[in-house]
Amino acid sequence: MTEASEQIPCARGCAWDSLIETEAPRPKPALHGILCDSCFYRIKAALNLVPDLMANMRAQIDGFGAVPLTERVSGGGDGPPAPLRIGPLDASDSLYAKLVSWTEVFGGELHTPQPRVAVWINFTEVQGSKPVTVKVAHEIASELAEWFHARLEEIAASPAAVAFHDDLCYGWEDARGVFSLAAAYGIEPRPARPAEKRECPVCGAHEVFVAWPDKLNADLTILCGQCQWVIDPEEIGSMAKLLMVS
């Protein structure tokens, strides 16, 4: 970092508020490429949130996850709607596509290989992640975040640094940024709704409960805390509905 570079104002126009009413705000210097400290560390903070945020969104896709069923995809035929929450599905795909697209931009600019991650695409661009478990989603998001962390000083010096900052941190209505998504979906798995334990068909104890998906265990499980009986996966849907009635 040279003395001359410290005098270049942040490309986002960041400034300190003036302590004197008649003085104009003082521009913040670009201490990291073309970005000031505030913008640079805001990017780092957003990247730090990405793995747990992605895992939490993927955990909420299951209709029997840890949040109420408020969004559904209609099923075929005369059957009930499929218990798939499209809000977190769309949000996780959008964030995933955003991150992968930026690795393409900076990978080409910095002449460095992109992370090798699975994607689903249309004819023109990345649309999201291939179906993966919550744990794998966390691992992939961690890999993507680390790729940016390792090159962040170079990225901050890129002509695209401002666009990357604004897209990652804030986004826009159809492709929200990390902070908006974190406020909506959280960065930790949400607690399960209170539910009364049910009688175990094997040992008779009232210890049958739902173990909800999280970033370490991608599968919803219904089991007995007394004898460790586990329900047949094909019966999970009807039993989960029963257990969610407190």
Side-chain angles (χ1 to χ4, degrees):
M1 186 184 305
T2 67
E3 183 175 344
S5 68
E6 294 179 357
Q7 306 307 311
I8 299 173
C10 176
R12 293 190 66 251
C14 299
W16 286 294
D17 292 334
S18 176
L19 299 177
I20 302 174
E21 186 175 349
T22 57
E23 287 185 353
R26 290 181 298 137
K28 292 185 178 181
L31 303 179
H32 306 272
I34 62 174
L35 301 178
C36 65
D37 268 343
S38 298
C39 295
F40 183 80
Y41 289 108
R42 191 177 297 114
I43 292 174
K44 287 182 69 74
L47 290 172
N48 287 337
L49 296 179
V50 163
D52 287 335
L53 170 61
M54 188 71 76
N56 202 34
M57 289 190 292
R58 297 299 298 184
Q60 292 177 42
I61 290 171
D62 187 337
F64 297 122
V67 294
L69 303 180
T70 57
E71 299 168 283
R72 287 174 174 262
V73 176
S74 295
D78 298 325
L84 177 68
R85 303 188 71 249
I86 60 174
L89 174 61
D90 286 348
S92 63
D93 271 344
S94 176
L95 179 57
Y96 186 87
K98 184 192 299 278
L99 293 170
V100 172
S101 296
W102 278 111
T103 65
E104 293 175 353
V105 171
F106 294 124
E109 185 178 313
L110 303 176
H111 306 290
T112 186
Q114 297 172 241
R116 297 176 62 86
V117 293
V119 299
W120 71 273
I121 61 176
N122 61 16
F123 292 111
T124 59
E125 61 186 2
V126 174
Q127 297 294 299
S129 167
K130 289 189 175 180
V132 294
T133 65
V134 176
K135 181 178 179 181
V136 172
H138 186 272
E139 292 172 352
I140 294 173
S142 297
E143 181 181 353
L144 288 168
E146 285 303 318
W147 189 92
F148 289 109
H149 275 305
R151 298 160 179 82
L152 202 49
E153 288 287 355
E154 295 172 280
I155 289 171
S158 165
V162 170
F164 174 63
H165 170 281
D166 293 351
D167 190 24
L168 177 70
C169 297
Y170 305 128
W172 57 89
E173 185 177 353
D174 293 334
R176 289 181 291 172
V178 168
F179 297 132
S180 174
L181 291 172
Y185 297 105
I187 56 170
E188 291 295 338
R190 296 179 182 181
R193 294 193 292 171
E196 179 184 351
K197 291 183 179 180
R198 301 289 173 168
E199 180 178 348
C200 176
V202 175
C203 71
H206 284 262
E207 291 295 333
V208 174
F209 67 97
V210 178
W212 302 99
D214 57 32
K215 68 184 182 183
L216 298 179
N217 180 16
D219 299 319
L220 181 146
T221 307
I222 297 176
L223 69 158
C224 176
Q226 180 71 27
C227 71
Q228 306 304 309
W229 166 81
V230 178
I231 194 171
D232 187 319
E234 294 184 357
E235 301 177 16
I236 280 182
S238 58
M239 179 63 80
K241 290 180 182 178
L242 180 64
L243 287 168
M244 286 192 291
V245 178
S246 55

